[in-house]
Amino acid sequence: MMIEALIAVALIGALVTFMAPNRIAGKLAFAISLVPAALSIWMFTAFDGSGNALLDGTLAFESHLEWIQLGEYSISWFVGVDGISLPLVVLTTILTSLAIMSSWTPIDDRESQFYGLILFIEANLIGVFTALDFFLWFIFWEAVLIPMYLLIGIWGGPRRKYAAIKFFVYTNVASLVMFGAFIALIFGLGDGVTSFALPEIANAMLNGGPEGLFGLEGTTLASVVFIAMFLGFAVKVPVVPFHTWLPDAHVQAPTPASVLLAGVLLKMGTYALLRFNFTMFPDQVEAYAVPIAAIAVISVIYGAMLALAQTDLKRIVAYSSVSSMGYVILGLVAYTQFGVGGATFQMVSHGLISGLMFMAVGVIYNATHTRLVTDMSGMADRMPVAVGILVAGAFGYMGLPLMSGFAAEYFIFFGAFGADFPYAPLFTSLAMFGIVIVAGYLLFALQRAVFGPYELETDYEVSRAPLHDIAPMFVLLGLIIALGVAPDLIFQMITDAVDPILSGGDL
Amino acid sequence: MEGAFSYAPAIAAFPLAAFVVALTFGKWMPRKGAIAGIAATAGSLLFSLWMLAAVASGEVYHETLYEWTAGEAAGEVGDGIEFTFGILIDPLSALMLVIVSLVAFLVHIFSLGYMNAEGETGLPRYYAGLGLFTFSMLAFVYADNLLMAFMFFELVGLCSYLLIGFWFRTRSAPSAAKKAFLVTRFGDYFFLIGVVAIAATFGTVAFAGDDSFVAAAETAIADGDTLFGFDAQTWVTITGLLVLGGVLGKSAQFPFHTWLPDAMEGPTTVSALIHAATMVAAGVYLVARMFGYYALSPTALAIIAFVGGFTALFAATMGVVKDDIKQVLAYSTISQYGYMMLGLGVGGYVAGVFHLMNHAFFKALLFLGAGAVIILMHHEQDMWKMGGLKEKAPVTYYTFLAGALALAGIIPFSGFWSKDEILYDALIVGLNEPVIMAAYAMGLVAVFFTGFYTFRMVFLTFHGEPRSEAAEDPHPVGWAVKVPLLTLGVLALVAGVANLAPVAKILGVDIVFLEHWLDGEYGAVEGLTYSAYGELLAYETGVIGSEQLTILVAAGLSLLLAFSGAGLAWKLYNVPEPVAHKERLGSARRTIENNYYQDEYQVWLARGFTLPLSRAADRFDQTVIDGSVNGISTASLFGSSWVKRLQTGIVTNYAALIVAGFIALLVFLGVYGGWF
């Protein structure tokens, strides 16, 4: 019942915060959020699962209750974690707590609603990473959108309505495509499947696959569903060319929403790709490896090139997320232990590093009320600690060894270089050029904004950031270095869950 | 001595601790963290000497200390692979540990006089940077595998970024720091592909032992394997050259040398550390560390030799027109590392390492000497404003002169012996290999330029009449400046004794200690010795007449050229009121003064090509990609705006529609339901 406890605390906490007075809402929400954080860390230490959740693995903290009978299909409350999902759950709970603390300074309007929505998102995110019934999973998946839509639309910047609607409609349309495709697949699987439980569906897919539907052959149906679901998740990740909602959403979103958006929401897309496309469709992965690898390389390079053209610090970090997510796709399509494991590792690592970067940019924004690198110079002079952390985060983003980003990228590169798909070494080498461009745009931004003589175009008096702005960043930096020095804190757990995928369920 | 090695991790751990202490408590400490750094590097030096003694007594150390991660190797091997942190202490790394910790220690002491005494702010950050720098380099030096080496190689790059950009309130320092990191990162891109490729090919990244990638490559070549679609020999060359990308970047070899002169924006003490013992030395050291791998590929070696010879000459010619004392030294560094590459590329492993050692001492000496000059001159670096410092600062002058004589390669100073050995090794190989001969010729011509720019610098700085008020009334320097200078001055004079190869061969006495050392006559790891490399090398050597004659010809030629260069500088600049004489260069002047437009094209690549390309991509993204997304939404909004006209909001309209609908429904049901 641990997972239920996590979700329930966050949900009830959200309600309580909604009704709390504005002035205590921030502290209250933070205190509440510590409960799921502590519980999930305990789950992490007590984790006793093995194998993959969908492929006959031993689930940890499993609970399975029949819920609704829908015609021939049963829907159940079915949750549990394996080595892939648990690190993401811990990432979610920790990042939520830190994001709440980082909101204390910038959020000064309708606080109780703001913090309530953050906790509501947390509950749904935990649901997404733990649900093992498609229907249940989809409810959480969709429910994440609503609070994020409100966070951007109410507390966002000048173009918040445009950004919020774009985010909502774009990802929602994508979800519809994915949903339709998956339902078609379930019908196509015929009598072999009697519930929406993902392990059952995965099993059916790996033992024979769909029989066919609407006059389509089984294999054709599988390919169509694979592509449709890939497109559906691609928007969420996002991969080029479905990425344009992301910079708009990030630039308009308040800092804590950006932290969660980049830190966790993007991982929903890659997590779903791994759980659905890359677990259930090994034949299609093999067949479409080259185009997917090409998309990955384009996302990495093109995303990085876009980041290079920006002058808004938040846009830079936003586009760099597109680039980083490209690495995840490359790792997935490599279909090797280090590739897929590294992709999962990168999900966690990028969550921490991008969270740190958005917080650091946010702290500078709180002080200067601008994010344009052209409007400021020499901020290191006035905010040495915050800038020090920003520099550390930037090097983390560049993949500096002994920080988690390097471990993630190295795993992916190593896993992809020796992969089986055609021209794997070439694709990998091309994607690796991202490590040069990322250094280019981040160092260029640092040079202009935080170094040089102190100048500021706005009329604000810059002072040092308060401790509650700095503390969450130190926590993230500590985690980033810990995972960089000792990736096996989570990597062995991840590969244990990845191995059954690569062997097609036989272990 | 077995027990000595269990303390090996401390060598790197001391400066790491100093980094943490200086960063967190430096503000409140006396001397702002300097004491922690001095204590830590002193500890590293003592422990390194202990390791050296242990190796001298016949022991070596190769131990895996920590498993970073492990998993299944993909690719050619498909077995398990482990990525670990381990320590390899053999003659090469033991020697390098001593060099690095000694130079770092002296730089820390010198900093007391250079940074603390000058009232700098941000000193805790400075000493923290030095500590992290020393830590990264020492860990790199005794890394026992390629991935660990890469990781600390990158950290060395970070530290140089932080220290070059130490004076971040200026415009130029952050720019130089960025350039240093970016150019070397470009090299490291290839290096990382090399690491990944080697790991994916051989399933191991270990430098030493039976399961090293070097041994695996040797076996693959012997078995005639096909690796990644290439025959094994070609693949070893490709991967070796990829790794070499990182070497060229860090060691500032052509065409990645452009960052180094800019890096003079950092404090002079940092330059001393970067040039002598850390950043730049890391590249060449890596070639020496995995020399067995390069020895398998004659093509890779020839490229190393040629790039080295070319860089030696290319950089030396640029050094002759510089006016800033630190700029002259910067180009001399590029040139000298070119010699080391040339030495290694022709199979002269001992010669290359020998020059690495000697250069560490005399270049640290010259930079610290330049630092002393800058203190004397009240922070003036333009040599044309100096002059006449000889009498006023004798300690600085004579130690600087010792360094200059070593740099110019004048017998019997240390630089002569190692440079001569490199040129000799290049010559005997070059007699059979035209490419190597060309590399040798470039290295030889560079000797002339080296002699010239070195003594031009000495004469302009110290001789003649003072040419500014500062030079007439220099600021005194303290013991913290003099002690490191004297220590290094002695080393610049005598370090050559380590390997008097030409004397040994001509007189037939056994005085090639370094060769014995690197050949594992004390302790050594199997396969990592000079003779083991010699067996892998495919080079044929020749002689002119006899071996003795060849030695004399080689040494005579390089001495002659060094003396002519120095002599020309004497004639032109050792006068009371020297002038530039740059017009004598004629049409070449502009090209050389602009550094052969190397900076221009690289800056153009960044600013003139990549940046506009990224802006074009951004416009494409905003208009075409995002435009289609918004276009679809506009289309649907437009469609719905027609549909919504049904919703007039007038109740009577709705009532009429409801009635009409009801009637239509009735008619429909009536017709199909059979009511009529």
Side-chain angles (χ1 to χ4, degrees):
Chain A
M1 298 303 283
M2 285 305 296
I3 293 167
E4 287 82 351
L6 286 181
I7 297 174
V9 169
L11 269 185
I12 297 167
L15 289 175
V16 171
T17 311
F18 262 125
M19 290 180 283
N22 280 334
R23 107 196 111 70
I24 63 155
K27 309 280 189 300
L28 178 70
F30 178 71
I32 292 170
S33 74
L34 289 178
V35 176
L39 286 179
S40 65
I41 291 168
W42 178 81
M43 281 167 67
F44 185 76
T45 55
F47 177 72
D48 59 353
S50 69
N52 187 291
L54 267 56
L55 304 170
D56 303 325
T58 311
L59 287 169
F61 311 105
E62 178 184 3
S63 62
H64 198 159
L65 299 166
E66 286 295 322
W67 187 19
I68 307 168
Q69 190 70 30
L70 199 72
E72 299 161 28
Y73 299 97
S74 65
I75 296 170
S76 47
W77 173 272
F78 183 15
V79 293
V81 288
D82 64 0
I84 292 172
S85 46
L86 185 54
L88 291 167
V89 171
V90 179
L91 172 75
T92 306
T93 57
I94 291 178
L95 216 49
T96 306
S97 290
L98 299 177
I100 288 174
M101 193 187 264
S102 76
S103 322
W104 291 353
T105 305
I107 302 299
D108 50 7
D109 177 37
R110 299 158 86 173
E111 287 93 335
S112 54
Q113 295 167 24
F114 180 87
Y115 293 106
L117 287 172
I118 296 258
L119 288 174
F120 186 58
I121 287 196
E122 181 183 24
N124 290 306
L125 286 170
I126 296 169
V128 167
F129 294 130
T130 54
L132 292 168
D133 180 280
F134 178 72
F135 218 86
L136 182 65
W137 176 84
F138 191 75
I139 291 170
F140 286 126
W141 172 271
E142 287 293 288
V144 168
L145 293 182
I146 299 157
M148 186 49 81
Y149 168 78
L150 293 171
L151 286 176
I152 298 172
I154 297 174
W155 288 271
R159 298 190 69 206
R160 55 184 176 268
K161 294 229 166 93
Y162 168 74
I165 291 173
K166 191 172 183 178
F167 159 76
F168 189 86
V169 173
Y170 206 155
T171 54
N172 214 3
V173 168
S175 297
L176 188 68
V177 173
M178 176 271 292
F179 184 80
F182 198 71
I183 295 297
L185 180 73
I186 291 173
F187 287 140
L189 283 167
D191 299 337
V193 173
T194 57
S195 76
F196 285 111
L198 293 176
E200 192 183 335
I201 296 165
N203 237 318
M205 283 300 295
L206 295 176
N207 297 308
E211 293 158 7
L213 192 72
F214 309 131
L216 291 175
E217 290 283 320
T219 49
T220 321
L221 176 68
S223 295
V224 170
V225 170
F226 178 84
I227 292 169
M229 295 192 73
F230 187 89
L231 293 178
F233 296 134
V235 173
K236 199 85 172 185
V237 172
V239 297
V240 175
F242 306 109
H243 61 281
T244 53
W245 63 269
L246 184 75
D248 287 327
H250 267 307
V251 170
Q252 300 305 323
T255 300
S258 283
V259 170
L260 287 182
L261 184 59
V264 193
L265 263 71
L266 303 189
K267 280 71 201 177
M268 289 165 60
T270 48
Y271 171 78
L273 275 177
L274 174 55
R275 277 284 189 240
F276 292 93
N277 291 54
F278 288 84
T279 300
M280 300 178 182
F281 299 85
D283 297 339
Q284 280 70 25
V285 170
E286 199 187 332
Y288 298 117
V290 169
I292 294 174
I295 289 174
V297 171
I298 290 170
S299 289
V300 169
I301 302 297
Y302 182 73
M305 286 302 281
L306 293 178
L308 192 60
Q310 309 305 321
T311 52
D312 181 323
L313 285 171
K314 241 183 160 180
R315 271 189 107 82
I316 293 174
V317 186
Y319 279 115
S320 71
S321 291
V322 177
S323 194
S324 298
M325 290 297 101
Y327 289 136
V328 176
I329 306 293
L330 181 69
L332 290 177
V333 80
Y335 233 50
T336 56
Q337 192 191 46
F338 270 101
V340 180
T344 313
F345 194 91
Q346 167 82 337
M347 293 182 209
V348 177
S349 163
H350 180 261
L352 299 170
I353 297 175
S354 64
L356 175 63
M357 289 297 280
F358 277 116
M359 281 184 194
V361 170
V363 167
I364 289 175
Y365 179 78
N366 294 343
T368 62
H369 291 251
T370 179
R371 284 188 305 256
L372 296 181
V373 292
T374 46
D375 282 357
M376 55 178 135
S377 161
M379 298 310 297
D381 187 61
R382 300 299 160 98
M383 318 180 74
V385 178
V387 165
I389 294 173
L390 176 70
V391 172
F395 275 92
Y397 226 124
M398 288 178 231
L400 189 77
L402 302 187
M403 296 175 94
S404 62
F406 174 77
E409 287 171 13
Y410 180 75
F411 295 164
I412 291 171
F413 297 152
F414 174 67
F417 196 90
D420 282 335
F421 66 86
Y423 306 109
L426 192 64
F427 279 115
T428 310
S429 304
L430 287 175
M432 284 169 77
F433 195 70
I435 70 167
V436 179
I437 313 178
V438 67
Y441 61 76
L442 287 177
L443 292 181
F444 197 47
L446 289 180
Q447 182 197 342
R448 291 207 276 180
V450 305
F451 299 132
Y454 173 74
E455 278 164 28
L456 185 60
E457 300 286 316
T458 56
D459 296 331
Y460 288 86
E461 189 62 35
V462 172
S463 56
R464 293 189 174 211
L467 182 66
H468 57 78
D469 281 358
I470 299 291
M473 300 197 284
F474 270 114
V475 174
L476 285 177
L477 193 57
L479 289 172
I480 290 165
I481 292 173
L483 283 181
V485 174
D488 275 353
L489 284 173
I490 60 170
F491 191 62
Q492 294 304 324
M493 179 191 264
I494 290 170
T495 50
D496 181 52
V498 162
D499 287 339
I501 298 175
L502 304 177
S503 59
D506 309 321
L507 258 191
Chain B
M1 301 293 278
E2 187 69 34
F5 292 119
S6 53
Y7 295 97
I11 294 174
F14 284 139
L16 180 65
F19 157 71
V20 175
V21 168
L23 195 65
T24 33
F25 308 113
K27 228 188 302 181
W28 299 284
M29 290 170 71
R31 310 270 183 183
K32 309 288 181 196
I35 302 299
I38 290 170
T41 45
S44 297
L45 177 59
L46 286 176
F47 276 55
S48 301
L49 288 167
W50 192 13
M51 300 303 137
L52 197 74
V55 174
S57 74
E59 304 287 334
V60 286
Y61 183 64
H62 183 198
E63 206 58 50
T64 298
L65 298 178
Y66 172 69
E67 187 179 281
W68 193 57
T69 197
E72 277 172 31
E76 301 291 310
V77 275
D79 289 331
I81 187 164
E82 289 166 359
F83 296 114
T84 58
F85 287 179
I87 290 181
L88 173 64
I89 293 184
D90 72 335
L92 177 67
S93 56
L95 178 67
M96 194 67 190
L97 287 177
V98 173
I99 295 170
V100 173
S101 52
L102 174 65
V103 173
F105 174 63
L106 294 175
V107 164
H108 271 86
I109 291 186
F110 191 90
S111 297
L112 283 176
Y114 194 76
M115 301 295 281
N116 291 57
E118 303 284 296
E120 284 291 338
T121 56
L123 284 172
R125 185 162 51 87
Y126 171 79
Y127 284 109
L130 285 191
L132 191 63
F133 212 162
T134 313
F135 155 70
S136 311
M137 186 65 192
L138 289 169
F140 164 76
V141 166
Y142 62 29
D144 81 333
N145 66 73
L146 190 61
L147 179 66
M148 181 181 169
F150 176 84
M151 291 168 76
F152 288 102
F153 200 73
E154 282 284 291
L155 285 177
V156 166
L158 163 76
C159 299
S160 68
Y161 172 82
L162 296 175
L163 286 168
I164 292 168
F166 176 70
W167 285 309
F168 67 84
R169 290 178 184 82
T170 63
R171 289 251 178 250
S172 49
S175 168
K178 177 197 66 180
K179 186 171 177 185
F181 193 85
L182 215 50
V183 173
T184 55
R185 183 75 31 133
F186 192 68
D188 288 350
Y189 160 65
F190 297 103
F191 185 3
L192 186 58
I193 301 179
V195 174
V196 167
I198 284 173
T201 310
F202 303 114
T204 170
V205 283
F207 281 137
D210 294 335
D211 55 352
S212 71
F213 67 89
V214 185
E218 208 182 326
T219 316
I221 291 175
D223 296 350
D225 289 351
T226 301
L227 304 168
F228 282 94
F230 297 93
D231 70 89
Q233 179 87 45
T234 315
W235 188 241
V236 167
T237 303
I238 292 172
T239 50
L241 290 177
L242 285 168
V243 173
L244 193 66
V247 172
L248 298 183
K250 284 279 195 294
S251 283
Q253 298 294 291
F254 178 83
F256 298 125
H257 62 277
T258 49
W259 65 270
L260 193 69
D262 287 33
M264 294 300 117
E265 287 295 332
T268 310
T269 42
V270 171
S271 306
L273 197 57
I274 288 180
H275 289 239
T278 54
M279 178 97 171
V280 192
V284 167
Y285 178 79
L286 183 67
V287 176
R289 181 72 286 171
M290 50 185 283
F291 195 67
Y293 198 68
Y294 286 112
L296 292 170
S297 165
T299 318
L301 277 183
I303 289 172
I304 292 174
F306 194 82
V307 170
F310 178 73
T311 308
L313 177 59
F314 186 66
T317 58
M318 291 186 274
V320 302
V321 295
K322 295 291 172 278
D323 300 323
D324 181 327
I325 184 169
K326 286 178 74 180
Q327 289 286 325
V328 178
L329 290 175
Y331 283 97
S332 81
T333 299
I334 301 172
S335 174
Q336 293 298 306
Y337 279 95
Y339 279 113
M340 294 171 215
M341 296 284 282
L342 173 63
L344 292 169
V346 298
Y349 173 69
V350 174
V353 174
F354 189 26
H355 201 53
L356 182 62
M357 174 181 90
N358 288 338
H359 178 264
F361 297 143
F362 70 68
K363 189 49 64 68
L365 170 61
L366 287 169
F367 263 111
L368 294 184
V373 167
I374 292 167
I375 301 176
L376 291 166
M377 292 295 303
H378 307 269
H379 296 273
E380 178 58 67
Q381 295 180 198
D382 186 345
M383 296 191 294
W384 294 102
K385 301 216 170 97
M386 299 178 183
L389 292 175
K390 183 178 159 189
E391 286 79 19
K392 287 166 185 146
V395 174
T396 308
Y397 172 64
Y398 285 105
T399 50
F400 196 87
L401 188 63
L405 288 163
L407 170 62
I410 306 289
I411 196 165
F413 287 83
S414 62
F416 165 76
W417 301 104
S418 47
K419 192 194 289 184
D420 178 65
E421 202 174 330
I422 288 172
L423 289 173
Y424 171 75
D425 285 344
L427 176 63
I428 56 172
V429 174
L431 290 171
N432 289 314
E433 307 260 351
V435 178
I436 305 291
M437 196 59 182
Y440 166 75
M442 289 189 287
L444 190 64
V445 176
V447 172
F448 171 79
F449 288 101
T450 311
F452 180 77
Y453 70 67
T454 307
F455 280 92
R456 175 176 172 269
M457 171 175 70
V458 171
F459 294 136
L460 287 180
T461 308
F462 291 98
H463 290 222
E465 297 296 321
R467 289 184 296 275
S468 69
E469 282 178 25
E472 277 171 21
D473 180 28
H475 186 286
V477 294
W479 66 268
V481 168
K482 287 176 184 165
V483 169
L485 289 182
L486 289 167
T487 315
L488 289 166
V490 172
L491 284 170
L493 175 61
V494 305
V497 175
N499 214 45
L500 300 173
V503 183
K505 280 184 188 143
I506 290 171
L507 300 181
V509 286
D510 190 15
I511 45 174
V512 284
F513 306 111
L514 188 70
E515 189 175 323
H516 292 317
W517 175 260
L518 291 174
D519 203 17
E521 294 195 10
Y522 305 93
V525 175
E526 201 189 336
L528 299 185
T529 60
Y530 182 44
S531 25
Y533 298 145
E535 284 169 22
L536 298 174
L537 286 169
Y539 285 132
E540 299 275 329
T541 57
V543 288
I544 306 169
S546 68
E547 193 181 25
Q548 273 87 353
L549 182 64
T550 321
I551 290 168
L552 288 174
V553 167
L557 266 177
S558 72
L559 262 183
L560 181 71
L561 284 167
F563 274 119
S564 349
L568 183 62
W570 171 285
K571 185 163 170 289
L572 293 177
Y573 299 109
N574 190 24
V575 290
E577 286 176 9
V579 289
H581 298 295
K582 284 187 190 173
E583 70 286 348
R584 297 191 186 196
L585 289 167
S587 56
R589 178 181 171 178
R590 277 196 60 182
T591 315
I592 297 179
E593 278 188 335
N594 285 301
N595 304 325
Y596 299 97
Y597 301 101
Q598 291 289 303
D599 278 292
E600 274 73 6
Y601 93 80
Q602 291 184 0
V603 169
W604 178 82
L605 266 182
R607 282 179 182 278
F609 178 73
T610 314
L611 207 56
L613 185 68
S614 78
R615 296 216 172 100
D618 192 43
R619 272 196 301 281
F620 172 78
D621 201 59
Q622 299 288 334
T623 52
V624 178
I625 296 188
D626 202 31
S628 4
V629 173
N630 287 334
I632 291 169
S633 92
T634 312
S636 64
L637 281 179
F638 185 70
S640 61
S641 72
W642 280 91
V643 177
K644 84 175 177 194
R645 292 186 184 191
L646 292 173
Q647 314 276 331
T648 56
I650 299 166
V651 180
T652 47
N653 288 1
Y654 291 159
L657 278 171
I658 289 169
V659 172
F662 187 67
I663 292 168
L665 196 65
L666 280 180
V667 170
F668 177 81
L669 289 174
V671 170
Y672 286 93
W675 286 4
F676 300 118

